Amino acid sequence: TPPRLKMQLSAILLLAAPLTGALRMGSPALAPSRTSAVSMVDRTATIPAKNVWVDMVPASEVKPNTINSGFQYGIEVAVVCDAKGGIYGLSNKMPPTGQPTTFAEIQGE
C-alpha cells in the first residue's frame, strides 16, 4: 500500500500548502499602517444652511373654508384656511391611504 500512502501524503500537502504562509515567522500579521490618515473632508469648513422660503399656494387662492395644495421642491403641502381666517399647512397625504388632504372637509368653527 505504499502508493496509497504516497497519494494521501500528497493530498495532505496540497491542502496544507496555503497554510504555510501564515505560519512563517517574521512576517507581519497585518499590513503596515500609514503614518498619516488621508482625509478628503475639511473638518473646519461649515456647511451653509439651504433653507428657502417659497410660495406654495398663491395668496389669492387662500380664502376662508378652503383647502388648497401646492407642490415645490418635491414637497406637496395642503394649505387650510378655516372660517376665522386661520391658516395651517399640512402634508397633502392623509394616513392611512395617502388620499390628498384637499379631499377633506373643514368642520367646526
Side-chain angles (χ1 to χ4, degrees):
T1 62
R4 183 174 181 194
L5 181 62
K6 189 174 181 181
M7 188 181 294
Q8 287 177 347
L9 286 175
S10 296
I12 290 172
L13 286 175
L14 273 173
L15 293 174
L19 301 176
T20 58
L23 298 176
R24 283 187 295 188
M25 299 302 283
S27 64
L30 299 173
S33 63
R34 296 182 181 185
T35 57
S36 64
V38 176
S39 177
M40 297 182 76
V41 177
D42 182 11
R43 304 257 183 223
T44 60
T46 57
I47 299 172
K50 297 179 183 176
N51 298 333
V52 286
W53 289 94
V54 295
D55 294 331
M56 296 301 283
V57 177
S60 60
E61 293 180 13
V62 181
K63 297 176 182 166
N65 288 324
T66 61
I67 303 174
N68 300 296
S69 66
F71 185 83
Q72 293 286 339
Y73 293 101
I75 300 172
E76 189 172 6
V77 175
V79 177
V80 179
C81 184
D82 63 11
K84 295 181 181 178
I87 298 175
Y88 307 93
L90 307 165
S91 170
N92 201 28
K93 301 288 182 201
M94 296 298 287
T97 59
Q99 290 290 323
T101 307
T102 52
F103 288 175
E105 293 179 8
I106 300 173
Q107 295 182 352
E109 296 181 23

